[in-house]
Amino acid sequence: MNPTIRKCCSRWLHKALAALAAAAALACCASCSGEPEASNTLRIGVSLYTLDDTFISSVVQNLERTAQEAESHADLKINLSIVDGRSNQTTQLEQVDRFIARGCDILCINIVDRTAAAVVVDKAQEAGVPLIFFNRQPVDEDIRRSSQVYYVGVNAQGNGTLQGRLVLDAWQKDPASIDRNGDGILQYAMLEGEPGHQDALLRTEYSVKALTDAEVSVEKLASDTANWNRGQASARVSLWIQEFGDQIEVIFANNDDMALGAIDALKEAGISPLPLIVGVDATAPALESIAAGELYGTVLNDADGMARSMVDLSLALWSGSDPSEAVNLQDGHYVWLPYRKVTQDNLSEFMTP
Ligand code: BGC
Ligand code: CA
């Protein structure tokens, strides 16, 4: 997060938490998880599209840590009830019903199927519970169905463009090190995330557009979905190696896990040097791979900022404060997190000691 934003949020948070602590009553009610709780407890129901996802697990870890930090500022308890949607929209809708029935104050939904958002909005609105979608972006029309609906995420077009620029920088600096067949054309392969996910569609399009806009000639050798998954990416790339040998010059992966899967397959096939490989997320294993000189670069998908914004926004909505004082709110509904390129040059800024 931009330091100015963070400073302003923490000042706001301090004020809001102090007010909440002063007002905290001792009446009891049921928590999201069904336990009785004092009314100075903020109950947040969080449903994930799946827990079996490196980036989403990191958002969860950050949520837990941020909630603890907020609690330590005041006499306040944040009860996070986190459930796994197991990639099943019906399961997730049941979880939403349960959260509402148990009296959650806020719903944070990482929706399984983006096209099912309207149903969740209607359930939340009927129950009068504010709703925050994150990471998996519903269409704007669904977000605007109610004034109490928000989206916290990263602009997919922007981080796709930055991913393309990582490759563009390397190509402009030393084209010979990338252009294996010396034809002046950049031969690439694309590992796509889950079909229909906004990040898969837009990263795929805008990463390549950053090169063509700069008048670099490109040739797509192969592209396929690997559903954000390392194992699936490794299997796809093994097939591509059979077809193209070492002639793939660049591999774009819509996320880091798939980039790491590509590296697994290339190493297994003994391809050296590796082609230029780029991901998105800046997960811990991806940062290690950059340090080891295998992954060329990635684009930060700010799991920490996402979690912070969700907690700050939840606190504001719960306490009846103006949400735009708590987070950088755009168009009344959206919190867009900043993104950055990560390579060996600035890696130390992203590694936690
Ligand atoms: C991340 C992926 C993740 C997906 C889940 C994307 O923004 O880059 O790593 O699997 O979100 O929805
Ligand atoms: Ca070439």
Side-chain angles (χ1 to χ4, degrees):
M1 189 192 277
N2 166 324
T4 338
I5 302 174
R6 181 167 291 172
K7 208 164 138 211
C8 136
C9 288
S10 57
R11 218 184 306 122
W12 168 85
L13 187 64
H14 208 77
K15 243 170 57 189
L17 291 176
L20 282 168
L26 290 168
C28 272
C29 46
S31 75
C32 287
S33 51
E35 299 294 312
E37 240 150 11
S39 65
N40 64 342
T41 300
L42 163 59
R43 298 149 306 171
I44 308 179
V46 184
S47 172
L48 311 169
Y49 95 97
T50 175
L51 236 185
D52 187 18
D53 178 300
T54 310
F55 176 71
I56 296 298
S57 309
S58 135
V59 175
V60 169
Q61 279 165 19
N62 281 290
L63 263 179
E64 285 166 343
R65 191 176 35 81
T66 311
Q68 271 173 17
E69 276 168 25
E71 283 180 334
S72 68
H73 282 87
D75 177 20
L76 163 84
K77 177 118 188 50
I78 299 182
N79 178 309
L80 283 176
S81 180
I82 299 174
V83 295
D84 182 354
R86 298 192 295 276
S87 297
N88 183 322
Q89 192 56 64
T90 310
T91 303
Q92 186 170 58
L93 289 177
E94 286 163 9
Q95 292 168 341
V96 168
D97 288 339
R98 244 183 334 263
F99 282 153
I100 290 173
R102 289 175 175 176
C104 273
D105 300 300
I106 309 281
L107 298 176
C108 290
I109 306 297
N110 179 224
I111 196 151
V112 173
D113 173 1
R114 297 167 64 212
T115 62
V119 186
V120 180
V121 172
D122 291 348
K123 284 179 187 289
Q125 193 177 20
E126 205 182 299
V129 181
L131 170 62
I132 304 172
F133 288 107
F134 64 101
N135 166 259
R136 301 165 70 89
Q137 187 186 353
V139 293
D140 188 54
E141 196 189 327
D142 289 343
I143 295 282
R144 291 183 189 279
R145 273 173 99 82
S146 153
S147 60
Q148 290 277 79
V149 177
Y150 302 87
Y151 177 69
V152 177
V154 180
N155 178 292
Q157 174 176 333
N159 57 28
T161 302
L162 269 201
Q163 190 191 46
R165 291 209 186 124
L166 278 170
V167 177
L168 179 64
D169 293 346
W171 179 266
Q172 286 175 336
K173 205 162 126 202
D174 185 7
S177 69
I178 301 173
D179 191 8
R180 292 182 179 218
N181 61 358
D183 65 353
I185 301 171
L186 187 150
Q187 274 82 19
Y188 73 92
M190 178 73 68
L191 283 165
E192 296 171 22
E194 189 186 345
H197 192 302
Q198 83 281 348
D199 288 340
L201 299 166
L202 293 167
R203 289 174 191 168
T204 297
E205 178 180 350
Y206 283 89
S207 52
V208 175
K209 191 169 183 298
L211 289 158
T212 52
D213 280 354
E215 291 176 1
V216 175
S217 304
V218 299
E219 182 188 358
K220 179 166 78 181
L221 294 184
S223 88
D224 206 345
T225 178
N227 290 304
W228 305 124
N229 182 282
R230 184 168 179 160
Q232 288 185 35
S234 168
R236 299 278 174 281
V237 174
S238 296
L239 292 175
W240 295 345
I241 294 170
Q242 283 174 27
E243 194 174 347
F244 302 106
D246 66 354
Q247 290 308 298
I248 301 174
E249 296 172 346
V250 170
I251 299 184
F252 292 97
N254 284 170
N255 78 342
D256 285 344
D257 263 11
M258 295 190 294
L260 297 174
I263 294 171
D264 294 340
L266 290 155
K267 281 167 69 175
E268 167 118 16
I271 303 235
S272 174
L274 292 171
L276 193 102
I277 302 160
V278 285
V280 174
D281 281 340
T283 60
L287 297 178
E288 277 166 29
S289 178
I290 294 176
E294 292 179 340
L295 180 64
Y296 173 74
T298 186
V299 180
L300 175 69
N301 194 5
D302 189 0
D304 173 43
M306 195 173 282
R308 259 172 218 286
S309 301
M310 286 158 64
V311 170
D312 288 351
L313 186 54
S314 298
L315 281 164
L317 295 167
W318 181 54
S319 63
S321 331
D322 178 358
S324 63
E325 281 191 29
V327 289
N328 187 356
L329 200 61
Q330 291 179 25
D331 302 324
H333 294 271
Y334 291 90
V335 181
W336 294 117
L337 300 156
Y339 40 86
R340 290 175 63 196
K341 291 187 274 192
V342 188
T343 60
Q344 272 195 345
D345 294 344
N346 62 352
L347 188 59
S348 57
E349 294 173 42
F350 299 87
M351 299 283 257
T352 36

